[in-house]
Amino acid sequence: MLKVTPLAVLQDNYIWLIQDTNSDSVAVVDPGDGATVHAYLEKHNLTLSNIFITHHHLDHTQGIPELVSHYRPTVFGPRDSEVEGITHFIGEGDEISLFGHKVNVIAAPGHTLDHLLYLIDSKIFHLFCGDTLFSAGCGKLLEGTPQEMFHTLQKIKKLPTNTLIYPAHEYSMSNLKFAKKVEPSNADITRIYQIYSNKVNSGQSTLPSDIQTELLINPFLRTNNSEIVNAIEKRYSTNIETEIQTFTALRAWKDSY
Ligand SMILES: [Zn+2]
């Protein structure tokens, strides 16, 4: 069995801890803070066997040296990435084994060009998606084109709807406010906002989410929705003809929101 736990670090990052409940071994995704991971493992008598890196940004990688010096884990990360400490360079189509479970590596250019997603198959699927997909939002396009990010999101949309998703930031509440603005009549956004508010008020993470929820509330996965298309046409006084146009305008709108 896998147990997945968020460690809240830095301003709003999550390091996801993946624990094999049959052993004392743990993997972490995107350790932006080594000391927090180290303290957690010490406290719970656990050891670190693997690190997974989604992309090269420092808030996802700067804990690697400290963790490597203590635990000597296997460090998986994107090919052509200059992240220090990666021991196994991987990319699209690669398959890894973690605690006896299959992990598929999916290329996800958009936020950065090196971005990878990790899909773990353990009864249901668990998707570790870094800064590509957030609940009710998606990553900023810091390196890739809107086309690249749109195609990356289409891959995610095709996953089984019960796939759990584990983004690297707690952006859910502000994302939902934007989602509500572009699609005011969507009752699921109001419903999920209430559920997330209750979690935040009791000090919990709003995550993980799942694909089914995101298909209902995430405007970046709803680029064929007529209310969203109309809102964009009105705001930018333009005619939208393709979903990529909708996505591009939506991302620009969110950037200035
Ligand atoms: Zn990033």
Side-chain angles (χ1 to χ4, degrees):
M1 279 279 290
L2 291 184
K3 181 182 160 200
V4 185
T5 310
L7 281 186
V9 298
L10 308 175
Q11 201 160 333
D12 46 34
N13 282 68
Y14 289 124
I15 300 170
W16 291 103
L17 272 112
I18 307 165
Q19 189 180 342
D20 175 18
T21 52
N22 298 317
S23 80
D24 60 359
S25 285
V26 164
V28 293
V29 183
D30 288 351
D33 176 347
T36 303
V37 174
H38 189 205
Y40 183 93
L41 297 179
E42 292 270 293
K43 187 178 167 197
H44 295 88
N45 277 319
L46 297 167
T47 188
L48 184 69
S49 58
N50 302 78
I51 294 175
F52 293 94
I53 299 298
T54 62
H55 66 293
H56 66 86
H57 288 155
L58 271 182
D59 60 323
H60 300 250
T61 59
Q62 63 196 352
I64 296 173
E66 176 170 355
L67 295 172
V68 165
S69 75
H70 279 103
Y71 301 101
R72 303 271 155 215
T74 302
V75 185
F76 294 103
R79 233 169 254 144
D80 308 321
S81 184
E82 286 174 15
V83 177
E84 218 171 298
I86 292 176
T87 60
H88 291 62
F89 291 93
I90 51 175
E92 170 73 26
D94 284 342
E95 223 180 271
I96 301 164
S97 175
L98 177 70
F99 310 141
H101 304 283
K102 196 170 78 175
V103 184
N104 284 108
V105 181
I106 301 167
H111 175 66
T112 63
L113 293 178
D114 68 346
H115 205 301
L116 298 178
L117 313 175
Y118 297 100
L119 182 67
I120 304 184
D121 183 354
S122 162
K123 289 197 181 126
I124 58 168
F125 288 107
H126 304 257
L127 181 72
F128 294 86
C129 50
D131 288 357
T132 293
L133 185 71
F134 301 116
S135 186
C138 76
K140 286 189 178 173
L141 306 180
L142 300 181
E143 296 176 9
T145 62
Q147 283 80 359
E148 283 172 308
M149 186 58 130
F150 179 79
H151 286 120
T152 290
L153 296 180
Q154 301 317 298
K155 289 193 210 176
I156 295 177
K157 271 175 91 165
K158 287 187 194 128
L159 295 173
T161 54
N162 64 347
T163 302
L164 294 171
I165 69 148
Y166 301 85
H169 289 275
E170 181 62 71
Y171 291 156
S172 307
M173 299 306 283
S174 61
N175 283 344
L176 277 175
K177 284 176 192 156
F178 177 73
K180 184 83 183 161
K181 183 167 179 69
V182 299
E183 198 186 355
S185 74
N186 185 334
D188 290 306
I189 293 174
T190 311
R191 178 175 61 84
I192 298 294
Y193 189 91
Q194 197 52 54
I195 293 171
Y196 283 2
S197 293
N198 293 342
K199 286 188 176 183
V200 169
N201 291 339
S202 62
Q204 294 175 60
S205 169
T206 63
L207 304 171
S209 179
D210 58 44
I211 298 291
Q212 187 175 12
T213 303
E214 294 310 311
L215 290 175
L216 293 173
I217 65 169
N218 193 321
F220 296 96
L221 302 181
R222 296 172 63 75
T223 42
N224 58 356
N225 175 274
S226 58
E227 191 175 11
I228 294 176
V229 172
N230 290 341
I232 286 167
E233 287 184 329
K234 197 170 157 205
R235 179 181 169 88
Y236 292 102
S237 306
T238 183
N239 268 333
I240 294 286
E241 278 161 11
T242 66
E243 284 196 52
I244 290 186
Q245 286 178 317
T246 307
F247 175 80
T248 306
L250 205 51
R251 188 57 263 178
W253 189 351
K254 178 71 162 53
D255 286 344
S256 64
Y257 182 65

